[in-house]
Amino acid sequence: MDKCVLSTNERAFIHDTLEQIRIDGRQQYDYRSVNISFQQEKLGQVQVSLGKTKVIAVVSCDVAAPLGDRGTEGYLLFNTELSPMAGQHYAKQRNAQSEASIEISRVIERALRGSGAIDTEALCIVSGEKVWSIRVDLHVIDDHGNVMDCAHLAAITALLHYKRPEVTIGEDGKVTIHETQDRDPVPLSVHHIPICVSFGFLGDGTKCLIDPSLKEEEMLTGSMTVAANTHGQICAVQKGGGVPVHSSQILTCTKIAALKAKDLTDLIETSIRNDEKQRKFNKLPAYARPKEAPVKVKPVITKQELIDLNEMVDSDDEEEGEKDVVYLQELFDQDV
Amino acid sequence: MSTLVKRQKGRLSNQLRSIEAQLGLLNKADGSAKYKQGDSSVLAAVYGPSEVLPKDEKGDRASVQVVFKRRDGKPGRREKQNENIIRNALEPIIMTHLYPRTAIMIIVQVLVDDGSILSVALNACVLALMDAGVPISTVISSISCSIVVDENGSQTLLTDPDLSEERTSIGETYFVFDGHVVAKTGEGGLVSSVTSGLLTDSAYTSCLTASRSGSKSVYTFIRETLKRKPTTVMAPIENIIFERDEASSATNGSDFKMEDEKEESKTFSNVFMKPI
């Protein structure tokens, strides 16, 4: 139940041909094709596939008390689930939160919350008492390499897509959270869009590639993730151990990351815009499906109508009427 | 409780929501299925038969493991319970004796919960098992029913309830039926029964009968899905109305028919479906 088993020949081949062509036909600094699809019924639920790797991001919110020293800041929590659906080797992990899933959560958290991309001050409802707690769950459903980038894309797209309920504070200080059918929900405050770009290093650290696929990931001796945005700013860098890499290589990687970030940001923004158009076209409400009022079940015939019917039937034909009356009475008298 | 009632979105009380299914969408998993009933949708994946952890190893059969994941990822006791319920329904039908000392792992991920999620999950698991090619002795299917009470105190049976209906119900039932047995004889074939809330004997029996008819439609759907190419997305099948009880329809006069009710309820075979 290993993630991926590579033969010596495969390893040698991947290593030697890297500069000319990679095993899936890509060049050294090419990304796999990205596909973004939104869940129709819910806002803030997105599935992103990066090649064959698939991650679903789900955004939900709740009201919570803020931390003592940060009374005006809301919470932005990330939870990555590497369930056995992504790969059978994940069933072996002893605790729910393995190292890999924690690393992914932490990098995405630093890139999105740490860099100020998502404004947590805007999540404040009543200073010192109530704040919004936004929770992003990342479900990895297919692991074909580079879960980090795929998860991050899903997270940022879901956060851009999500709309939280509208809140009003009355004169007496009472806080009202409005249902989606009363007031349109409000998008989150996003200042810039960081994109995580993962690099893999092979051999002695001189060979570098972007977006490793499953077999390449198995062969990596070192890896680095750079979160950059379209303005060319670096939001977060993670190089956790692995083979030592020359600093000039690191700088090249950050430059490449900035370029890739631009392409991916365009893709995200286009897909969100298309989804908005689709919702308007399908006449789906621009907000989450409103919670319908509890069902008021009305039987086909009311008791009064039944009594009237009985009387009417009685007068028609005695025999037939009797049979009907018995049945109808049973219907209402029985202890259901 | 044989009166039909109109509920939200124009559904009748014995009408199922539209069903969609898509098979084979994951690459790593041996089998996968995305199954949707109305707005409730679930993604199920199957790995196996494959390597088993020594602590789970069984000498004479495969070990069936189920993992149930909520949409918002928070772990809970209900998920553990759902895992047990689903495993108890699937373990008997999987031919585990063919693969001793292996594991068959079934993972369920809830995408959207709009009611009847346990039934939806079980149906998705059955499709995923078939997509994985795991040998099963029969096809099982599941439909949920719930009992709702209105102001007058009269109870109505609702098949395939959505979330708002489930929340206002006084009793919920979940039944799993053996498709082959039900298709052949039209009775019997009960594999699993889980209820919650307050139910009288007659309410339980009515739910059982209604559920059986509903599961027959799902069973036919599952068989049709497998006849097509694995990755074809099935077009939604609308307006599935299964036949009512023979006994109740005989005594019902024309007084109790609703205005826009059709002459005869369509059975699943009459509904035209086209793959996309």
Side-chain angles (χ1 to χ4, degrees):
Chain A
M1 252 203 292
D2 286 325
K3 187 166 175 177
C4 174
V5 183
L6 286 182
S7 63
T8 324
N9 285 351
E10 278 179 293
R11 286 178 187 269
F13 186 79
I14 293 171
H15 189 269
D16 294 339
T17 60
L18 176 66
E19 255 110 41
Q20 287 99 48
I21 192 164
R22 288 157 75 168
I23 44 168
D24 49 9
R26 286 186 282 161
Q27 294 299 309
Q28 222 178 333
Y29 297 116
D30 280 351
Y31 252 94
R32 288 172 286 181
S33 60
V34 177
N35 201 341
I36 301 176
S37 67
F38 298 89
Q39 190 77 30
Q40 253 193 356
E41 298 84 15
K42 296 265 180 197
L43 278 180
Q45 188 163 337
V46 178
Q47 180 179 315
V48 172
S49 40
L50 179 61
K52 290 180 185 170
T53 304
K54 296 180 184 65
V55 177
I56 297 176
V58 176
V59 182
S60 51
C61 69
D62 205 357
V63 179
L67 286 171
D69 51 344
R70 294 190 196 159
T72 52
E73 272 184 34
Y75 298 94
L76 183 60
L77 310 160
F78 294 92
N79 175 41
T80 309
E81 305 234 335
L82 288 166
S83 79
M85 192 183 275
Q88 251 195 310
H89 54 281
Y90 291 121
K92 267 198 276 190
Q93 62 206 23
R94 253 163 253 143
N95 42 340
Q97 292 294 305
S98 67
E99 265 181 38
S101 65
I102 292 176
E103 193 187 343
I104 294 170
S105 304
R106 281 294 296 146
V107 170
I108 295 176
E109 197 179 344
R110 273 172 23 221
L112 293 179
R113 191 180 69 190
S115 69
I118 309 284
D119 191 354
T120 46
E121 296 265 351
L123 298 174
C124 182
I125 305 171
V126 176
S127 173
E129 285 171 37
K130 289 183 174 53
V131 292
W132 282 114
S133 170
I134 306 288
R135 185 196 164 94
V136 182
D137 283 289
L138 298 159
H139 303 288
V140 182
I141 55 176
D142 217 348
D143 180 4
H144 260 262
N146 201 10
V147 172
M148 173 79 77
D149 288 5
C150 192
H152 181 91
L153 278 171
I156 185 67
T157 313
L159 285 165
L160 286 167
H161 189 246
Y162 182 67
K163 293 188 169 74
R164 62 163 175 81
E166 171 76 89
V167 175
T168 49
I169 303 172
E171 281 159 4
D172 52 349
K174 194 168 154 196
V175 174
T176 318
I177 299 171
H178 297 277
E179 298 276 331
T180 43
Q181 61 254 38
D182 301 333
R183 297 254 187 123
D184 279 357
V186 168
L188 299 175
S189 167
V190 181
H191 293 304
H192 61 99
I193 302 173
I195 303 286
C196 274
V197 178
S198 288
F199 296 86
F201 304 111
L202 293 175
D204 57 355
T206 48
K207 294 207 175 193
C208 171
L209 50 75
I210 240 183
D211 185 23
S213 64
L214 186 67
K215 289 188 175 172
E216 290 164 345
E217 203 172 70
E218 184 62 26
M219 282 192 53
L220 296 180
T221 47
S223 72
M224 184 172 78
T225 303
V226 177
N229 63 16
T230 45
H231 311 300
Q233 297 170 311
I234 304 297
C235 309
V237 177
Q238 168 94 353
K239 187 189 182 301
V243 69
V245 173
H246 201 270
S247 52
S248 57
Q249 177 76 72
I250 302 277
L251 288 172
T252 322
C253 288
T254 53
K255 288 202 186 89
I256 296 168
L259 288 169
K260 294 293 173 190
K262 232 183 215 146
D263 296 334
L264 289 169
T265 312
D266 288 338
L267 181 69
I268 292 174
E269 288 178 331
T270 316
S271 62
I272 289 183
R273 248 179 291 134
N274 286 344
D275 180 68
E276 288 262 359
K277 273 190 226 158
Q278 194 72 23
R279 279 172 193 265
K280 284 203 183 112
F281 180 73
N282 289 343
K283 294 194 179 71
L284 274 174
Y287 42 84
R289 191 75 62 86
K291 241 194 280 189
E292 274 133 11
V295 177
K296 270 221 166 122
V297 171
K298 190 168 168 278
V300 175
I301 188 163
T302 61
K303 197 151 191 179
Q304 187 53 47
E305 285 177 86
L306 190 61
I307 294 166
D308 296 338
L309 211 59
N310 267 348
E311 289 167 13
M312 193 177 78
V313 158
D314 265 344
S315 57
D316 279 346
D317 184 8
E318 288 233 22
E319 267 184 51
E320 267 189 53
E322 226 177 284
K323 205 164 75 179
D324 279 322
V325 164
V326 165
Y327 170 73
L328 296 169
Q329 267 179 359
E330 261 180 48
L331 190 70
F332 276 82
D333 290 346
Q334 67 189 352
D335 217 24
V336 181
Chain B
M1 264 189 291
S2 36
T3 49
L4 283 190
V5 161
K6 218 177 190 181
R7 27 186 195 167
Q8 289 179 350
K9 297 170 199 165
R11 260 210 297 167
L12 295 174
S13 54
N14 69 343
Q15 188 176 353
L16 304 181
R17 295 178 282 185
S18 63
I19 303 179
E20 280 179 57
Q22 192 180 356
L23 301 181
L25 13 94
L26 299 181
N27 295 102
K28 262 285 172 101
D30 292 328
S32 53
K34 194 187 249 186
Y35 179 82
K36 195 168 162 184
Q37 247 173 259
D39 279 351
S40 280
S41 72
V42 159
L43 174 65
V46 169
Y47 283 91
S50 60
E51 202 183 312
V52 67
L53 288 173
K55 65 176 172 80
D56 299 321
E57 189 179 300
K58 290 193 182 140
D60 61 340
R61 58 186 63 228
S63 161
V64 177
Q65 293 151 17
V66 178
V67 178
F68 193 99
K69 293 252 171 225
R70 262 168 67 151
R71 179 180 173 260
D72 60 12
K74 292 178 200 156
R77 285 209 321 263
R78 171 166 282 182
E79 282 62 55
K80 267 268 164 287
Q81 188 186 32
N82 289 348
E83 285 173 13
N84 276 333
I85 293 170
I86 292 176
R87 198 191 61 245
N88 287 334
L90 292 176
E91 199 161 0
I93 63 158
I94 299 174
M95 295 181 177
T96 50
H97 58 279
L98 292 176
Y99 308 105
R101 291 182 300 280
T102 63
I104 296 173
M105 186 172 278
I106 301 156
I107 304 105
V108 176
Q109 172 68 58
V110 174
L111 298 174
V112 180
D113 183 355
D114 190 31
S116 309
I117 202 68
L118 201 51
S119 290
V120 174
L122 185 97
N123 294 334
C125 288
V126 173
L127 277 167
L129 277 170
M130 294 169 93
D131 186 52
V134 174
I136 50 178
S137 56
T138 179
V139 175
I140 53 174
S141 54
S142 167
I143 286 287
S144 294
C145 290
S146 63
I147 304 282
V148 186
V149 186
D150 73 340
E151 311 99 29
N152 303 338
S154 58
Q155 300 194 343
T156 317
L157 178 131
L158 301 176
T159 41
D160 193 18
D162 59 34
L163 197 62
S164 50
E165 290 166 351
E166 256 181 12
R167 287 210 171 118
T168 55
S169 67
I170 58 158
E172 287 153 37
T173 62
Y174 153 89
F175 294 105
V176 181
F177 290 95
D178 181 333
H180 293 338
V181 172
V182 170
K184 226 195 250 178
T185 60
E187 56 184 17
L190 181 64
V191 172
S192 239
S193 160
V194 179
T195 68
S196 67
L198 217 57
L199 293 164
T200 58
D201 273 354
S202 51
Y204 180 83
T205 327
S206 316
C207 285
L208 186 75
T209 326
S211 214
R212 185 183 281 123
S213 321
S215 72
K216 198 164 149 193
S217 307
V218 177
Y219 164 74
T220 321
F221 175 86
I222 291 174
R223 289 196 71 128
E224 285 299 311
T225 311
L226 266 300
K227 280 186 196 162
R228 282 162 168 74
K229 246 172 54 179
T231 49
T232 307
V233 177
M234 298 290 287
I237 295 144
E238 313 269 319
N239 300 325
I240 303 167
I241 304 173
F242 51 84
E243 282 163 346
R244 284 191 270 164
D245 252 354
E246 283 312 304
S248 53
S249 52
T251 48
N252 262 343
S254 54
D255 308 324
F256 310 120
K257 264 215 184 103
M258 296 183 53
E259 281 170 5
D260 51 351
E261 194 182 359
K262 301 212 169 80
E263 266 295 59
E264 41 175 273
S265 354
K266 282 189 207 164
T267 54
F268 184 88
S269 52
N270 295 340
V271 177
F272 177 69
M273 356 172 258
K274 41 187 194 280
I276 294 169

